[in-house]
Amino acid sequence: MITVENLSKRYGNTTVVDGVSLTVERNSITAIVGTSGSGKSTLLRMINRLVEPSSGRVLIDGRDTRDEPAYLLRRHIGYVIQGNGLFPHRTVAENIATVPRLLGWEARRIEARVAELLEVFALDPASYAHALPHQLSGGQQQRVGVARALAAEPMVLLMDEPFGALDPIIRAKAQDDLLDIQRRFGMTVVLVTHDMDEAFRLGTQVAVMSGGRLLQYDRPAVLLTQPADPFVARMTGLADRAMRLLSLVTAGEAALPGTCDGPAVPPTATLREVLSELLWRGADSARVVDAEGRVRGQLTVGAILARGRP
Amino acid sequence: MTRAPPRSRVDPLGAVLVAAGAAAVLFLPFVLLKANRILPGDPRSFAQVLPPWAALGCTALLGVTGVGALWIASARARLALALGGVVAVALAAAAAGDALTPPGDSVVRIAPGGAFWVLLVCLGLLATDAATRLKPKPALRVLFLAGSLAVAGLALAHGIFDHLSVMREYAVNAARFAHEARRHLALAFGSLAAAALVGLPLGVLCHRLPRLRPGVLATLNVIQTIPAIALFGILMAPLGALAAAVPFADRLGIRGVGAAPAVVALFLYSLLPIVANTVAGLKRVSRAAVEAAHGMGMTGWQVLTKVELILALPVILTGVRVVLVQNIGMVTVAALIGGGGLGAFVFQGIGQTAIDLVLLGAIPIVTLAFSAALVLDALVEILDRVKA
Amino acid sequence: MPRAVTVLRLAALALLVGFLVTPQSFAPLFAPLTQYGAPPIYDQGNLLTLALAQLATVCLAAVASSIVAVALGILVTRPSGAQFLPLSRTLVNIGQTFPPVAVLAVAVPLVGFGEKPTLIALFAYGLLPIFENTLVGLRTCPPAVLEAASGMGMSARQRLLSVELPLAMPLILEGIRLSLVINVGTATIGSTVAAKGLGEVIIAGLLSSNTAFILQGGLLTGLMAILLYDGLATLERRLLRPVTLD
């Protein structure tokens, strides 16, 4: 659990982060969104003390982050940045081994951990372990960046625009991977992005920042239905807020009992995707069918539309 | 990312410079009194040589400068103080020269001592630091250089420093000095012009024919590694043979000794920066601009002269700057093979262990090279800005 | 192509060593350049001793200037030395306008004739390319890489030693090579202030109009400079991984 208490950062007369308080639950993903200059990156960087707060404090599992030197603190917090910052002079394996080495792990343990992570991130050790970063594609570099951040099994992972440099298709894949990995390792993720879609897609909780202040911190659906501030409403998008709301619910969650002869959709599809499919096919209802071919229920256009209202 | 830490109350650079300057004033002689030009000097401190009012005034001025260097943050004020300090030290040296020289004596030499040089270096560093922080526009920098040179020139012409040893050497060698200085410039600029005439087309050729590039650049690179003195010497043989075989060449001044081998050697050294920068500059020109030019119906020649070379000009000029500065320095060595130039004073001074004579050659050379670098840098910056 | 380069390299080395060890066997080659029965091969000293003396002077100066320049480069790129950065960059620019001969000439009155002024001039002049390249190398480390290093918990010292310096190393070594080559050349001029070296041969040739002397002195120094530069470049390629920064 990360507790941010009344955190501020001032440079001279300008206040970059202004009295932000929030609590991030364990085993969750919190997305911080805001325009550039909103102070979101500074807030993130105060958690691992790359930026020292001017006032306020940060507790991780009840311990004040100032209790130990900043560089020791950071060894227990994963950190991923835009453009991944891989060490160009070190191989993929060496890059991933960075923090375990700093922590003085035994060679054998490091080796095993590197092999495990390469496998998790679908990087064949035979061809990639000894490659240099510039020999990898952009998506692979990004995966190595995340693997490196996770190497020492941190309980907290901080990500600053981690997918910003990727093209849309690779970005979607990387976002899915992150969700998988978060479920698998169960760490607490705090992610900074300027992309509302990304925040909604990944965030268990979303924090909206503007001008250094935290405007609202809530579940995505609440942000859409009860925006605390006109700015939050603008950020979440007035024109397509209904569609956004639909994209927060999966077919599996919304399925009604019964079946029909409409097109089959997987339970993991969002209502937005199901609606789009129905529009495209000119059908009124869809069957929700899981991977084993069992019918899990049905969805009608009317039921979907009802979900799109606040 | 990391922000510059706020300036602490005492300026660290100022502290280092003030400490060095104060130590020099306390422990090193301000001037050396030499019975003649080659004898070792008799050290005289600041207070010993100046009339009390002058010593007091100069000390006060330097003190103010020191205090300013420590506690004033404004770059403008620091620059003004440093320049004031330079003037004070120069005038003090001049006054010391006047005070120590017996009337009508032309044998005694008053040479600036360690304290003078250290003070000058410290004040120079202070001024340089302040000027760097002010980030003056290129035109202003050139103007400032011209102003400083004019003030120094006027002071020299007015005879303020006539009793100092270097100016004594100048007085003895005045006619030769003008001749060697002209020669120095002719050698430096002449070989630059020749290199530009050959290097520019060669660079364009290397750009157009990439197959040619590695060979040409590698060859020119190897030439650069041959020590100047050796290249001068090596060229003496073929040029000497040429002069012996072709009397016409001899009449043109192409001989084994003298200016010819120097010009040829400098020309060879100059080729690499010019060719390499022409290639780099042309490479930098955007394809879009070239294609647009072709698309508008320009001929190949027009594209080259009106688009590519114009756009590549700042980079090519950077090459010219490297060559000019390098040449001004290297012409010095030409004196060893009878090529003349200000290096003649340097080597003659080394031979006679007459340091004043060395300085008579070295100071103008450094000033020339520095001015050339400053002016050409400014020019490159202006061109770059015009294009942007 | 690479094989041709290797052959060329070995030939150059063989030529240099052969000439230094048995100079007299090259006498017939240089005899046509002499007049009035002057000796075709330098006879006022041992060529091998002179070459080694020059190499020693050059290397000693290079080691000293490398240590000082890299240390200074590190100092002014740390937060504590940041105030010295603008000045030091300007100084590098100004310093490069000083011709090596002038540095040499100014060193003589300070320490007298012999090896010392040469050493000082070589040291001072060698500082510039190394310092400049160290600065460029350390200042052009990609910010994302530095941020990642700090973010993962490297101390300032660990970051410098395991990220910044390795990334800057190719440029630093390039600076050292450059300064060595310039130094070999400048060291020949050192012979005018009585430093031991191959410049002695060239000066002797100039004084006695013996082209053979000039040519062999120049040839040997040139060979030494090229082999030194090339040898270091090869060593560098062997030791360092290729790093591309973009």
Side-chain angles (χ1 to χ4, degrees), chain B:
Chain B
M1 250 197 48
T2 43
R3 285 170 189 252
R7 283 207 152 200
S8 49
R9 272 185 58 75
V10 172
D11 186 87
L13 176 70
V16 172
L17 293 180
V18 168
V25 170
L26 287 176
F27 301 114
L28 293 176
F30 185 66
V31 288
L32 298 169
L33 179 61
K34 300 194 266 190
N36 66 40
R37 65 196 283 258
I38 42 177
L39 280 183
D42 185 12
R44 292 295 162 89
S45 83
F46 206 59
Q48 284 171 316
V49 292
L50 291 182
W53 60 268
L56 214 62
C58 189
T59 315
L61 230 157
L62 286 176
V64 170
T65 307
V67 169
L70 286 175
W71 284 292
I72 294 181
S74 150
R76 225 176 275 267
R78 290 168 76 89
L79 182 60
L81 281 174
L83 293 177
V86 170
V87 172
V89 170
L91 288 180
D98 294 343
L100 289 177
T101 309
D105 190 314
S106 63
V107 184
V108 164
R109 294 297 165 100
I110 318 297
F116 172 84
W117 294 115
V118 173
L119 277 176
L120 218 55
V121 168
C122 287
L123 291 166
L125 286 175
L126 191 62
T128 310
D129 180 55
T132 308
R133 286 178 200 281
L134 280 174
K135 296 196 183 74
K137 293 238 160 55
L140 194 63
R141 294 203 300 262
V142 175
L143 218 62
F144 185 73
L145 174 75
S148 310
L149 290 180
V151 168
L154 276 177
L156 288 173
H158 199 257
I160 293 177
F161 300 109
D162 276 358
H163 286 129
L164 290 181
S165 52
V166 179
M167 290 311 289
R168 279 295 179 82
E169 290 292 349
Y170 172 75
V172 178
N173 293 298
R176 226 183 103 210
F177 182 84
H179 171 76
E180 300 292 13
R182 271 201 301 278
R183 179 116 189 193
H184 201 101
L185 288 174
L187 285 173
F189 280 94
S191 45
L192 167 67
L197 232 54
V198 176
L200 214 57
L202 194 56
V204 173
L205 207 64
C206 281
H207 176 68
R208 290 286 163 92
L209 303 173
R211 272 191 313 145
L212 216 62
R213 211 178 295 160
V216 170
L217 290 182
T219 311
L220 295 180
N221 247 319
V222 167
I223 293 178
Q224 291 269 324
T225 60
I226 305 174
I229 186 175
L231 191 56
F232 286 150
I234 290 170
L235 285 168
M236 289 167 75
L239 289 173
L242 187 70
V246 188
F248 180 65
D250 189 39
R251 247 180 295 141
L252 276 179
I254 299 174
R255 290 185 203 99
V257 290
V263 169
V264 176
L266 292 173
F267 161 77
L268 288 175
Y269 282 126
S270 309
L271 276 180
L272 177 72
I274 298 220
V275 174
N277 279 47
T278 306
V279 172
L282 289 174
K283 223 187 213 166
R284 213 181 62 156
V285 174
S286 82
R287 275 182 172 283
V290 175
E291 285 192 2
H294 278 295
M296 286 186 293
M298 286 191 182
T299 64
W301 175 252
Q302 286 170 327
V303 173
L304 179 66
T305 53
K306 298 202 167 146
V307 179
E308 291 188 287
L309 282 179
I310 301 288
L311 288 175
L313 197 56
V315 182
I316 299 176
L317 262 185
T318 310
V320 170
R321 177 237 199 247
V322 171
V323 167
L324 191 55
V325 171
Q326 177 181 299
N327 277 359
I328 291 173
M330 245 186 283
V331 170
T332 317
V333 186
L336 269 184
I337 54 162
L342 292 164
F345 296 117
V346 174
F347 287 113
Q348 199 185 334
I350 290 177
Q352 303 174 351
T353 64
I355 182 60
D356 301 325
L357 198 53
V358 170
L359 288 176
L360 181 65
I363 293 174
I365 293 171
V366 172
T367 311
L368 267 177
F370 177 70
S371 309
L374 198 142
V375 170
L376 278 171
D377 275 343
L379 205 59
V380 169
E381 213 179 304
I382 290 171
L383 279 176
D384 250 342
R385 208 170 285 175
V386 167
K387 255 183 31 186

Side-chain angles (χ1 to χ4, degrees), chain A:
Chain A
M1 195 169 78
I2 305 171
T3 314
V4 172
E5 287 180 359
N6 206 12
L7 207 57
S8 295
K9 180 66 191 178
R10 285 177 291 273
Y11 292 109
N13 290 326
T14 43
T15 302
V16 187
V17 172
D18 191 358
V20 170
S21 298
L22 56 82
T23 303
V24 177
E25 294 301 329
R26 263 175 182 241
N27 195 0
S28 71
I29 301 184
T30 290
I32 307 175
V33 267
T35 50
S36 55
S38 61
K40 55 188 192 302
S41 279
T42 308
L43 176 62
L44 185 84
R45 288 149 58 87
M46 282 195 284
I47 296 177
N48 67 359
R49 287 176 61 199
L50 276 174
V51 173
E52 291 290 349
S54 305
S55 64
R57 59 178 191 160
V58 178
L59 308 174
I60 294 181
D61 291 333
R63 276 191 65 188
D64 194 318
T65 51
R66 282 169 305 184
D67 285 353
E68 58 183 335
Y71 67 94
L72 293 180
L73 167 78
R74 292 183 202 131
R75 292 178 187 177
H76 301 287
I77 300 178
Y79 185 54
V80 180
I81 51 176
Q82 178 169 7
N84 65 58
L86 294 179
F87 299 144
H89 60 302
R90 293 192 175 176
T91 64
V92 166
E94 287 168 337
N95 261 291
I96 296 177
T98 305
V99 184
R101 277 192 192 156
L102 288 174
L103 290 170
W105 285 17
E106 275 176 45
R108 200 171 305 162
R109 187 175 166 205
I110 296 178
E111 214 173 297
R113 179 67 179 164
V114 170
E116 182 192 352
L117 284 166
L118 284 174
E119 184 165 337
V120 169
F121 284 89
L123 291 161
D124 175 25
S127 38
Y128 292 116
H130 300 292
L132 288 169
H134 71 90
Q135 295 166 320
L136 307 183
S137 71
Q140 287 168 333
Q141 290 180 2
Q142 199 276 336
R143 299 213 292 278
V144 175
V146 180
R148 182 175 70 171
L150 293 175
E153 300 165 358
M155 290 313 295
V156 173
L157 178 64
L158 306 181
M159 307 179 97
D160 193 350
E161 302 269 8
F163 312 123
L166 302 179
D167 63 56
I169 293 177
I170 296 175
R171 184 187 308 166
K173 169 86 173 69
Q175 290 168 343
D176 287 340
D177 287 349
L178 177 64
L179 288 170
D180 283 345
I181 282 157
Q182 194 273 333
R183 261 175 235 129
R184 177 176 177 146
F185 291 115
M187 66 277 178
T188 309
V189 179
V190 182
L191 176 142
V192 159
T193 177
H194 63 269
D195 176 358
M196 208 54 173
D197 286 323
E198 183 166 278
F200 275 27
R201 179 160 181 187
L202 298 174
T204 328
Q205 296 274 84
V206 173
V208 181
M209 286 190 71
S210 174
R213 294 192 313 114
L214 178 63
L215 299 181
Q216 191 169 8
Y217 176 54
D218 237 316
R219 284 182 297 112
V222 178
L223 243 51
L224 280 169
T225 54
Q226 297 152 40
D229 182 291
F231 182 81
V232 176
R234 273 213 307 284
M235 275 294 283
T236 52
L238 289 169
D240 60 348
R241 53 188 165 179
M243 301 307 285
R244 284 220 160 133
L245 205 50
L246 289 183
S247 66
L248 293 173
V249 186
T250 63
E253 290 163 2
L256 304 168
T259 185
C260 61
D261 51 5
V265 294
T268 51
T270 66
L271 290 188
R272 180 181 184 155
E273 287 159 357
V274 177
L275 182 63
S276 171
E277 183 71 12
L278 290 176
L279 282 173
W280 189 252
R281 302 237 181 165
D284 292 330
S285 56
R287 269 180 308 145
V288 182
V289 182
D290 67 15
E292 281 90 49
R294 279 174 304 186
V295 175
R296 300 274 297 271
Q298 60 161 332
L299 278 168
T300 60
V301 170
I304 295 174
L305 293 187
R307 285 280 191 159
R309 282 190 285 274

